[in-house]
């Protein structure tokens, strides 16, 4: 199969829609990462998504809709706090889990009676979702366990020959996956941290829990149990406080002839004295936006990536640390 990478225009949208309507899959951009789209109501198409990615079949997909889509077609029991959150954050990188009405295929939720709904803010994503005007099941458009894609080229590197079309909407501005929020309880609960932090949610609705997996319990967000986001080279992760040890390891391994890159924020980069750096930038949002891009760049040039965690550990950095630990921990 030839994989075309096309800018988003009427022609490529028409091609994407035709592919989706005949049960195929295409990749499209969002503000977080690129998604691999299928008709959420077509079980065979949803199964194709799992097959293309090599995704375990107990890790449910998120359903994407455009901003004017009537959610009552898909879910029930929307709590009042959800309306406040919708007003504050949507369209945007917040996925909300509700009780499913059974409209989308059971294969989407892998047997759960809930469904995760996302309304992305990316203009290209909105255009695509409006154009097809059906619920779209989409995980990240990478091979399972590999680093999530934030450019069309990243998608191409993983899925060339496996899908017919990648809609190219440029580099994703957010860079890490959406926050997944369980909205089936009296108080919302963060199942996966992301760009909309627990603090931001609590500020709008007063209270917000954070799910912590306990041994022996049935996991509430199955995706969280999997190793994710790994680059293809060796990795090591140091805390901010242990950064001197990271610099030392860099020097030792470099002197042994290994191709080593230090991945860290701009401030640590300046202190390090290291020459080969994957610089994540200065601000929280820059660090999130650059993380996957730098991991992908790193695996193409380095035999070993030594990452230093950011000093700040709250807000958006909770989501960044979660990914960093899964990639390099
Ligand atoms: P990905 O598609 O790789 O961004 O992963 C989707 C994430 O959403 C995973 O962590 C899933 O466990 C989570 N998710 C999707 N649907 C549900 C659901 N119905 N209930 C809880 N978590 C969900
Ligand atoms: Mg993923």
């Amino acid at each position: 199969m030839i994989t075309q990478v096309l800018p988003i225009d009427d022609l490529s949208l028409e091609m994407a829609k035709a592919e989706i309507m005949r049960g195929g899959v295409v990749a499209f951009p969002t503000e977080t990462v690129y998604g691999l789209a299928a008709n959420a109501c077509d079980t065979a198409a949803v199964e194709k998504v799992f097959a293309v990615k090599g995704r375990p079949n107990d890790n449910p997909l998120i359903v994407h809709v455009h901003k004017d889509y009537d959610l009552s077609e898909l879910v029930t029991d929307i709590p009042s706090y959800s309306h406040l959150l919708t007003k504050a954050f949507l369209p945007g990188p917040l996925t909300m889990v509700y009780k499913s009405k059974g409209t989308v295929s059971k294969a989407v939720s892998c047997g759960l009676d809930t469904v995760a709904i996302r309304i992305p803010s990316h203009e290209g994503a909105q255009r695509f979702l409006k154009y097809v005007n059906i619920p779209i099941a989409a995980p990240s458009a990478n091979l399972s366990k590999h680093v999530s894609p934030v450019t069309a080229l990243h998608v191409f590197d993983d899925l060339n020959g496996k899908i017919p079309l990648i809609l190219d909407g440029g580099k994703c501005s957010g860079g890490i996956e959406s926050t997944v929020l369980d909205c089936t309880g009296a108080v919302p609960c963060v199942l996966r941290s992301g760009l909309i932090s627990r603090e931001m949610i609590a500020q709008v609705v007063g209270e917000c829990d954070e799910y912590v997996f306990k041994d022996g319990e049935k996991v509430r967000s199955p995706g969280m149990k999997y190793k994710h986001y790994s680059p293809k080279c060796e990795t090591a992760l140091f805390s901010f406080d242990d950064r001197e040890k990271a610099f030392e390891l860099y020097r030792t391994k470099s002197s042994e002839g290994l191709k080593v890159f230090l991945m860290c924020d701009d401030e640590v980069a300046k202190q390090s004295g290291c020459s080969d750096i994957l610089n994540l930038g200065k601000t929280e949002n820059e660090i999130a936006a650059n993380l996957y891009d730098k991991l992908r760049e790193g695996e193409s040039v380095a035999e070993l990536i030594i990452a230093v965690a950011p000093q700040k550990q709250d807000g958006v950095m909770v989501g960044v640390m979660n990914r960093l630990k899964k990639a390099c921990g």
Side-chain angles (χ1 to χ4, degrees), residues 58-314:
D58 64 348
N59 187 7
L61 307 182
I62 292 171
V63 171
H64 296 64
V65 291
H66 64 73
K67 63 181 169 38
D68 302 316
Y69 199 89
D70 180 7
L71 287 192
S72 69
E73 284 186 16
L74 306 178
V75 300
T76 62
D77 303 350
I78 299 180
S80 54
Y81 62 72
S82 274
H83 299 298
L84 298 174
L85 294 172
T86 298
K87 209 168 161 211
F89 300 120
L90 298 189
L94 177 66
T95 295
M96 291 152 104
V97 174
Y98 298 111
K99 202 162 165 46
S100 175
K101 261 186 139 172
T103 314
V104 301
S105 164
K106 281 199 165 72
V108 168
S109 294
C110 305
L112 299 169
D113 60 359
T114 52
V115 60
I117 305 282
R118 169 151 147 69
I119 303 174
S121 63
H122 190 287
E123 197 213 321
Q126 279 293 326
R127 271 183 82 186
F128 166 65
L129 293 166
K130 262 251 154 79
Y131 209 88
V132 295
N133 200 27
I134 55 168
I136 290 291
S140 49
N142 52 292
L143 291 175
S144 192
K145 300 191 180 69
H146 194 207
V147 180
S148 295
V150 294
T151 66
L153 187 61
H154 294 162
V155 181
F156 188 82
D157 285 343
D158 276 20
L159 301 182
N160 179 23
K162 295 186 160 201
I163 60 173
L165 176 61
I166 301 168
L167 295 173
D168 186 350
K171 189 184 169 197
C172 305
S173 58
I176 60 171
E177 294 86 349
S178 61
T179 304
V180 178
L181 189 71
D182 185 347
C183 296
T184 62
V187 173
C189 177
V190 172
L191 299 178
R192 174 176 76 185
S193 48
L195 293 171
I196 309 287
S197 65
R198 176 161 86 130
E199 292 90 331
M200 288 161 75
I201 294 165
Q203 229 164 49
V204 174
V205 297
E207 256 184 300
C208 181
D209 292 335
E210 185 141 31
Y211 174 62
V212 187
F213 175 65
K214 293 183 205 81
D215 268 346
E217 195 183 74
K218 189 169 182 289
V219 62
R220 272 169 66 189
S221 186
M224 299 307 289
K225 71 184 180 207
Y226 290 106
K227 185 170 164 62
H228 266 87
Y229 325 118
S230 306
K232 287 170 186 150
C233 60
E234 293 292 312
T235 55
L237 175 62
F238 289 85
S239 68
F240 178 82
D241 290 340
D242 279 344
R243 60 196 181 283
E244 288 297 339
K245 289 184 193 153
F247 307 157
E248 198 181 308
L249 182 66
Y250 175 99
R251 287 190 290 271
T252 310
K253 292 292 178 186
S254 296
S255 70
E256 288 170 7
L258 211 64
K259 197 77 203 129
V260 190
F261 276 72
L262 187 77
M263 193 172 79
C264 56
D265 67 21
D266 192 60
E267 196 194 318
V268 173
K270 282 183 193 138
Q271 298 168 5
S272 71
C274 303
S275 51
D276 286 330
I277 304 248
L278 299 161
N279 191 329
L280 296 171
K282 288 190 177 119
T283 66
E284 281 186 64
N285 286 325
E286 267 173 41
I287 292 169
N290 288 326
L291 182 66
Y292 290 147
D293 196 31
K294 291 296 171 187
L295 283 169
R296 288 231 178 202
E297 184 188 328
E299 70 179 4
S300 69
V301 290
E303 290 166 292
L304 170 66
I305 298 174
I306 301 173
V308 178
Q311 182 171 24
K312 197 167 173 298
Q313 293 283 311
D314 59 355

